[in-house]
Amino acid sequence: MKDWHETGADPRDWRGTAAKVCGWAAAAFLAAMMLLTVADVALRALLNTPIRGVVELVELCLACTFFLALPASFLRSEHLVVDVIDGLAPRRVPLLKRASGVLAVIVLAVLGWQSWLVAQDSIAFGDVTSDLALPRILYWIPVLTGIIGSGIAALAMLLRRDGRA
Amino acid sequence: MSVGAIGILGVIGLLALIFLRVPIGLALATSGLLGYAAIDGWATALKMFGTVPFTLASAYSLSVIPLFILMGAVASRANMAKELFDAANGLFSGVRGALANATIGSCALFGAICGSSIATAATFSRVAIPEMRRHGYDSAFAAGAVASAGTLDVLIPPSVLLAIYAIAAEQSLPKLYAAAFIPGFVLAALYVLAVFAVAWVRPAWVPRVAAMKLKERLVAAIGMWKLAVLFFFAVFGIYLGWFSPTEAAAVAAFAAIVIAFGTSAMSWRGLVDALLETVYTTAAIFFIVVGAFIFSRFIVLTRFPNELVTWVQAAGLAPFSILFAVMALYLLLGTFLDEVSTILITVPVTLPLVTGIGYDGVWFGIFVTVMCTIGLISPPTGMTVFVIQAQHPDIPVARIYRGTLPFLAADFVLVALLVALPGMVYWLPNVLRMM
């Protein structure tokens, strides 16, 4: 049922390195999210001075964690797949993998394009968060980076020379 | 084409894409976008499509998921499973089936902390199965016990799956955790009864093991302090009013790291691996969440759930037959879909249907979660069964499935109890004055 690492990028080539870099960047934001929340709880309990705008900062860290890790999950072929068909028509599997790779590139391209349009509106209106007045575009940076990076990752996996999709 | 027909076509298209090996998140996003465009036109559909990713960048409640996964990833690496198994073994020592019951008790607590049925089954497959086989347990029963006990995490708080249900169904997570407590521990108790039943019917499968001395039992019991501390922060911290669910998850993950380093059970390399495992798992889950958000907007537009409720009410179907149909749906989906996808895909439709016959979102959350535990051990794609078979290739899959049968029966007993005594779900939330 699950397709973990089945045809993921070779850790020795540039795709494997790119997956690692994405993973480390996302892991850094995850650690920041945890430490920020623990610090807020501790400061609130001990000194009655919680960190101002912690919810907004945690949301930013969460966006960075997920969207920066997303290209890695394409490069590592870690998306959940139902592989019932493998037993029924094994010879069709390479073609189906290639077709879903093409679909991934198209969907991510459309998603990136549409998200960019919404992000432009956010810049034009000068949206800011309510507590810390952080520009909303800060949140859009990981979102767009993740979607566009995932599109490139899906394309890179599709164009692998060894023919594995 | 009518909106209803587009809705049905959208669902068929989704299932077809999933069957054709398209990643589940991608299948959800594609069918959701095309369906939305068919009803409301491409301009609106594309606008909706572009706004969904940003909703994930402003969803504080979702942050609980990676933090609980991190806590589990650290606990898995810090030898806590073996210590817990020894402690539970000390507790049950002397009774027939002690090792199997120790497996169930320790899987219940470790799984709750670890949050992943697959990781729990993989861990205890290494810890408990060799021990049971060494003492003469039937290998199919030993593997079946671990496969089944590995699914308890899905129900016992702090459950990641319940956190995902809370988001999909817009329910309060603390209330769901409180509601899951009694059914979760009732299920663990039913598993213990299943072991005793097997020991009675097939004593050769479950040989008696010499009892440990009192001193050994006490020493072993001390070993469970680490997971007890994590459980305290992750669960009781919420009900004592100390933390919100996200804060509880962050504090518990931090405590797991401190304990792991403090007891020299984990290296820096181990921490980096735990962080990486967490972000990769989070990305895989959240990609499905993004797809499910897109698909559910399409489903809402079709008004399919409302029309289904109206149709069911007009047809005058008995509530029990509707519940039976919902149960059949989850059993069917459980044979090929993972539990996260099952919940995210179905809840927008099944929740209104079930609330239409008098149940509420909290009860349904527990019901649907129990149905997911059944999916994890039912053929042909019981995930925990495959995980165990991969580590013990000498035990055939069919024999492991046979070993899970007593526990599958216990699952169905819990489903029957939930339907017959829905009060078992509300008792704790009522005591905590949450309802």
Side-chain angles (χ1 to χ4, degrees), chain B residues 75-356:
Chain B
S76 301
R77 282 171 173 75
N79 202 29
M80 295 186 195
K82 175 78 175 90
E83 290 163 343
L84 183 63
F85 179 69
D86 291 342
N89 195 16
L91 186 71
F92 286 103
S93 177
V95 292
R96 190 181 280 277
L99 286 170
N101 282 328
T103 303
I104 288 154
S106 45
C107 277
L109 187 54
F110 182 80
I113 295 300
C114 170
S116 156
S117 299
I118 291 166
T120 306
T123 307
F124 279 86
S125 165
R126 288 190 298 268
V127 171
I129 294 178
E131 194 71 4
M132 282 194 270
R133 293 178 90 177
R134 196 166 65 82
H135 285 95
Y137 274 59
D138 177 75
S139 57
F141 176 69
V146 173
S148 311
T151 67
L152 286 167
D153 74 285
V154 169
L155 194 55
I156 295 177
S159 151
V160 171
L161 195 63
L162 272 176
I164 288 168
Y165 172 84
I167 290 153
E170 295 176 359
Q171 296 291 321
S172 145
L173 186 57
K175 205 184 283 183
L176 279 166
Y177 279 173
F181 243 98
I182 303 292
F185 286 102
V186 166
L187 186 59
L190 286 170
Y191 280 7
V192 169
L193 286 179
V195 171
F196 287 137
V198 171
W200 186 55
V201 177
R202 292 260 190 281
W205 286 10
V206 190
R208 194 181 287 277
V209 178
M212 293 163 75
K213 290 183 185 133
L214 184 65
K215 192 180 167 194
E216 287 171 350
R217 292 166 83 154
L218 288 173
V219 169
I222 293 168
M224 67 189 294
W225 72 270
K226 296 175 189 172
L227 280 165
V229 168
L230 298 188
F231 199 74
F232 179 80
F233 280 127
V235 179
F236 291 107
I238 298 175
Y239 299 108
L240 290 171
W242 294 354
F243 316 126
S244 68
T246 293
E247 289 168 352
V251 171
F254 185 70
I257 294 168
V258 170
I259 290 172
F261 276 115
T263 56
S264 306
M266 192 175 69
S267 62
W268 281 103
R269 181 73 237 171
L271 177 61
V272 171
D273 285 347
L275 284 164
L276 287 175
E277 181 193 315
T278 305
V279 297
Y280 295 144
T281 308
T282 303
I285 291 178
F286 278 21
F287 188 60
I288 301 174
V289 173
V290 172
F293 278 7
I294 293 166
F295 190 75
S296 69
R297 288 186 187 192
F298 157 60
I299 289 292
V300 167
L301 198 64
T302 62
R303 297 186 49 78
F304 180 61
N306 312 50
E307 285 180 14
L308 190 63
V309 172
T310 314
W311 179 81
V312 163
Q313 283 169 345
L317 293 173
F320 184 72
S321 52
I322 295 163
L323 216 50
F324 205 73
V326 170
M327 215 154 80
L329 172 75
Y330 282 106
L331 285 177
L332 179 72
L333 291 176
T335 60
F336 65 95
L337 264 186
D338 69 285
E339 63 277 17
V340 173
S341 310
T342 302
I343 283 193
L344 288 171
I345 292 171
T346 57
V347 162
V349 177
T350 50
L351 179 61
L353 189 63
V354 173
T355 48

